[in-house]
Amino acid sequence: MQSNGNNRLLTPPLTIHISTPPLEDSTCEPSSDPAYQPSKSSFLSLRLPPSPTAASLDGETLRSRASSFVSNADTKRSRAYSDVSTVQYRYDGEELTAEEALRPDKIDEKDFEVEDNPFAFSPGQLNKLLNPKSLAAYKALGGIRGLERGLKTDAVVGLSADEGTIEDRITFEEATLAGKRRKSISEDDQTKGAKPAIQQGSIELYGDRKRIYKDNHIPAKKSPSIWKLLWNAFNDRILLLLTAAAIISLALGIYEAVGQTPAPGQPRSVDWVEGLAILVAIILVVLVTGLNDYQREKQFVILNAKKEDREVKVIRSGRTVQISVFDIMVGDVIHLEAGDLMPADGVLIAGHRLRCDESSATGESDAMKKTTGEEVWRHLEQGTASSKLDPFIISGSKVLEGVGTCLVTAVGVNSSYGRIMVSLQTKTEDTPLQIKLAKMANWIGYIGSAAAGLLFVILLIRFLLGLSGNTASSAMKGSQFLNILIVAITIIVVAVPEGLPVAVTLALSFATKRMLKENNLVRKLRACETMGNATTICSDKTGTLTQNKMTVVAGTLSTQIEFARETGLFDREKRIMSSEEAFSLLSSSAKDLFMQSIAINSTAFEGLEDGKNIFIGSKTETALLMLAKKNLGMRSLAEERAVSEVVQLYPFDSDRKCMGVVIRLSSGSYRLLVKGAAEIMLENAAKQLANPAGEPLEVAYMSALTRNQINSKITDYARQSLRTIALLYRDFQQWPPIGVRTSKDDKQMADFEDVCQDMTFLGVFGIQDPLREEVPYAVKKCQDAGIVVRMVTGDNITTATAIATQCGIKTPEGIAMEGPRFRQLSNTEMDEILPNLQVLARSSPLDKQILVSRLKYLGETVAVTGDGTNDAPALKAADIGFSMGIAGTEVAKEASSIILMDDNFSSIVKAIMWGRSVNDAVAKFLQFQITVNITAVILAFVSAVASPSSHSVLSAVQLLWVNLIMDTFAALALATDAPTEKILDRRPSPKSAPLITTNMWKMILGQAVYQLVVTFTLYFAGASILGYDVVRNPLLQTQLNTMIFNTFVWMQIFNELNNRRLDNKFNIFEGVLRNKFFLAINAIMVAGQILIVFVGGTAFQITRIDGTQWAVCLLCAAPCLAWAILLRCVPDRWAARVFKAVGSAFHAIYRPVATGVSVVCQPARSVFKGVKRLLMRLSGKEGHEASVAVDEEAAHNAAGSVVSPVELLRVIPPITLTTMD
């Protein structure tokens, strides 16, 4: 038994015996066939009208009522059934023949044509059941019996676990005839003396099923090929423009070198080399970017495949087993219970009060009640079927309540969900951080483009003014103009920081892959970013803070017999004995009563693990089952349940904190068995067993003294951190009892609140779930990181407080409160207690959702854990929802952002560390790139304007190499630092924190100033300082330019080390040896730079330099490490004051200028829009283009689209500064 918030009681497993009433008789009499038994190993032993292999099973079979549960009692028909005699129902397609009902649509004709099909039905025929839901198609296929026979499966024992190739064939007519005759496969085979239909062994497992019906994989969206990614990398407007200019430059250079004769004594022109070098550099940039994208796509494909995988319960060869969702086959029999996500299309075989949410597939918001396939068939035969009958379960739908089994009819691309997913496959959405960085990249790009445009205008004016005195050839003049254009375009290439979104993508890709190894399966990428800034964690208890290894260590049977793990102790004059001694004192009737309460009222089932029989299910329930097996001589669960007739069950309800089941006794009376949270059960108890050791059992009213004693015992258990579970029962002479409310849908289903009164108390058990050893340390690390940890559990407040104290969550000044009281508080009262609220006990999913919503309202970034279906709203409401990989339902997993594969709280701490690592990686790269942006653009601009020949000190090829370092290599190096526990030594960043902090601005501007001072000193005064006569010896000028370029690149390499830290601490080498990516990337950059200097020559417009010159370069570049130390010594608050003053002055000047520019440009914009509108009208595309423009504008605005420079100047916000002191 498991509770929501780790105390969720699941629906008890049922033995539902269903047999076929004769066609002429609608009553339900017991079967006389001794060979017909339910499966003894299944979780839900569902009895159908004679199963195809029923004759091969041993045991005795009971018969069922029409829809679900066996009952030999005289009961009234359900409302739908009882209306048969008075109302003639009709359904869509009733008038269709079988041929018309299964007629293929034109687009699906290929699904109806299958070669060498050993089965009776094609995938297309089965798809007619649900495309849309069609009772006519169901009737045409022979109903559940026809499907069962035609798919060569069995509704009770499922598919054979070692099925290979299907040897014999079955025709459509034979299968559908089985439905009309209600004859099973095994019966028919015995009549004919047929051989086994399945060949086993050497052939591929389920080979024919996979060939005909496919497997349950939904093809992933085809990843772009490497060539497509390379084309995407190249298909950038700036790169295309640069390529065109480089090609023209190359053509002119070749013309100069080949088509013109050089002057006497002069070598042939080699200007073509620059054009070729630019093209080679562009190819290199495209290759590196494309390969990087390709690797990232591969990683996300692997992650998505893992994200979709989960385990489901199916019946194979009569045993309930758990298999991957991808291994489900058409013909499989699947167990369904509340919280499951239907993995394929199917038809309900049998079940109890099954309701599904199909809104994701059909848009229908109401819960859809499901009717068993056999009952639907009966109505079809009797002519009383209506459209309200729904035996179909659509893939992707969520089971809201009830239990049942269903026969799979379509999987993978043939299923409803599969077809929708294939048609809706879209590109992964950008995360919030990616969108923010894209906006910043646009903003920076506009500034760089403005600088490049201004440079082009200045150099062009100079070029035009000098044409009159320019004696160069026409080709040379064209080359000079192209050089100006190329320099301007290259500055744009460098200025546009396209590496920003790439950096966050790389960081997310690296982090998600590593997080998976640490038991965090990331379902939504944005959770990686958000988790790093979480300010509070609302954690479940069971399995998350505790080990989820539960054992019954103490208990009280009735009120007289107590047991505990320690023996020989005395408590209130009662001897505390072992559990064996305690249960041996019970009478036979009392033992049977406890057996029924534990074994029948349970959802756990038996399975195999490492060749041993184990209990699978809720850990609370398995603990009680182990107790029963040890002390009550319990046989297999299937045998215990086979002898009990289940009339009605009450699935676990998180508000009631209990579950129940009604069984029919051999005497003809009925017994309600309930188990749940001890203190709540005690409130519903009015009686107790007077003498559990006597025969027959006697019941006495519970006195106030006895009630206080039991309540005291429950409190004692809770103080020892034990979960307390109590058992109740009550006998009734008829069901439903007279005077109680019943379900609107089925008058045989009594309302729980009306019957769970005046109950008899059986006993209470204390269940121990040890705390995980690593939890106290993990909680302490969270608290040190500024994260408040709260426990939200379904346990009582005493148990919850005891465990919260053990793991360090509950402090002396902290508040512990129960859910019912919490939800009654006003918003003001909640806001007052939330800062100190540390434990929320006896909480419902609604309480958890209220808590999350209120914390978010107060500005907190909330992470919450959940495992139950009802936890889904809270998981969705939270900033980060963690679902349980082991104990969680599929609905909870679907609603979550991250799945904890081991259900362990320490894994949440790992997620926080990786979340902070992602944010840090992006910040490091941002700090590094903006520094290079500022330095490179200013250096290229000033040197080009200052040069008489209009040449920048950094050539186009050199700038492309710098751009490669900035956008790709640095992203790879800085995005791959794995986090250490020291990353938890700081408080989380608030939601309002800017992308660039004061400390980052300090380092960016400080390093930019240093680099500009060094490079300008070398450029303008380097010849004088080094004693170079560059006028007489032009080679010295080339060497000086080479030194400037070499110094500039080495400053970036050293500054990359500076950017490994974002705080004001000095050790920038911490953990550098653990990051192999960082070392490898820097080795590539260093080797590449050395290679360029030694052999780059003409292509890079440089020359080799000697050792002294190398020393000068390194001595000028290396001090940026020491300069960074000085910058870190400057308090952030001082820097913030300076930046604030400068920013205020800038805005005072900038806003009037921006307004003036906008006014001046407005007429030109109006003329341009008018011309564009006229051209569209002439082309007849005005309406279409206008609608597209509106849609695109909305989309771009939502995703941080590019705005015009004029608009940017008008709306650019002031910089927000935060300090880290």
Side-chain angles (χ1 to χ4, degrees), residues 85 133 137 237 252 523 562 669 680 827 846 978 1040 1051 1170:
S85 60
K133 295 177 182 179
R237 284 176 296 179
L252 288 175
R523 296 189 69 257
E562 298 181 18
S669 60
I680 295 178
N827 289 339
L846 177 61
L1040 181 60
M1051 282 192 291

Side-chain angles (χ1 to χ4, degrees), residues 408-698:
V408 174
T409 59
V411 296
V413 294
N414 292 323
S415 67
S416 305
Y417 181 74
R419 288 193 297 270
I420 293 173
M421 291 306 294
V422 168
S423 64
L424 294 181
Q425 284 177 340
T426 56
K427 185 179 178 182
T428 304
E429 294 182 358
D430 288 339
T431 68
L433 187 56
Q434 286 173 319
I435 294 173
K436 285 182 181 179
L437 290 175
K439 289 181 179 179
M440 177 168 285
N442 292 334
W443 182 73
I444 296 173
Y446 278 134
I447 295 177
S449 299
L454 180 61
L455 174 64
F456 178 76
V457 170
I458 294 173
L459 296 184
L460 180 61
I461 292 173
R462 179 192 290 179
F463 172 75
L464 294 175
L465 293 176
L467 278 178
S468 58
N470 192 338
T471 58
S473 63
S474 298
M476 182 63 70
K477 290 177 182 177
S479 179
Q480 291 172 353
F481 171 76
L482 277 177
N483 287 338
I484 294 173
L485 180 62
I486 287 172
V487 169
I489 295 173
T490 308
I491 286 179
I492 297 176
V493 172
V494 175
V496 175
E498 64 270 16
L500 286 180
V502 174
V504 67
T505 304
L506 283 172
L508 289 170
S509 173
F510 180 74
T512 51
K513 187 176 180 181
R514 295 291 294 273
M515 286 173 70
L516 183 57
K517 294 180 179 179
E518 296 182 348
N519 297 311
N520 282 276
L521 175 57
V522 179
R523 296 189 69 257
K524 298 175 184 175
L525 284 179
R526 65 177 61 211
C528 281
E529 307 165 3
T530 313
M531 193 61 216
N533 296 324
T535 58
T536 183
I537 300 173
C538 300
S539 175
D540 284 343
K541 178 184 73 68
T542 303
T544 308
L545 300 174
T546 61
Q547 297 178 19
N548 206 16
K549 296 179 180 178
M550 299 194 183
T551 308
V552 178
V553 297
T556 302
L557 309 181
S558 184
T559 56
Q560 295 86 19
I561 305 172
E562 298 181 18
F563 68 88
R565 181 174 291 172
E566 298 83 5
T567 60
L569 300 178
F570 290 86
D571 180 22
R572 296 178 186 158
E573 300 181 356
K574 294 181 181 179
R575 181 174 180 272
I576 304 298
M577 60 191 73
S578 66
S579 60
E580 292 89 343
E581 288 182 85
F583 279 98
S584 67
L585 298 178
L586 296 178
S587 65
S588 177
S589 298
K591 288 181 179 180
D592 289 343
L593 188 52
F594 275 96
M595 180 74 76
Q596 291 170 349
S597 296
I598 294 174
I600 308 303
N601 191 15
S602 173
T603 59
F605 60 94
E606 286 179 300
L608 284 176
E609 186 175 281
D610 300 328
K612 298 180 180 179
N613 284 321
I614 62 167
F615 294 115
I616 299 173
S618 160
K619 298 300 181 182
T620 307
E621 293 192 324
T622 58
L624 291 172
L625 289 171
M626 289 298 298
L627 179 73
K629 188 173 184 179
K630 177 182 177 183
N631 300 292
L632 294 174
M634 186 179 72
R635 299 164 292 178
S636 71
L637 275 177
E639 292 180 49
E640 295 294 343
R641 293 167 179 170
V643 298
S644 298
E645 265 186 69
V646 176
V647 177
Q648 183 176 350
L649 64 82
Y650 298 97
F652 173 78
D653 185 279
S654 55
D655 292 323
R656 293 195 298 251
K657 301 295 183 188
C658 65
M659 64 186 294
V661 64
V662 180
I663 61 174
R664 187 183 180 198
L665 305 177
S666 58
S667 62
S669 60
Y670 297 85
R671 176 167 289 166
L672 169 64
L673 304 166
V674 181
K675 69 178 176 184
E679 63 274 18
I680 295 178
M681 294 296 94
L682 185 59
E683 293 175 2
N684 293 325
K687 303 173 184 177
Q688 67 182 69
L689 288 181
N691 181 15
E695 289 280 7
L697 292 179
E698 295 181 2

Side-chain angles (χ1 to χ4, degrees), residues 216-217 305 308-314 316 321-329 332 343:
N216 203 31
H217 282 86
E308 298 299 328
D309 194 12
R310 54 191 169 90
E311 287 193 335
V312 294
K313 294 188 286 290
V314 301
R316 294 271 175 92
V321 295
Q322 290 180 300
I323 64 173
S324 168
V325 69
F326 299 133
D327 295 333
I328 293 174
M329 297 287 145
D332 260 323

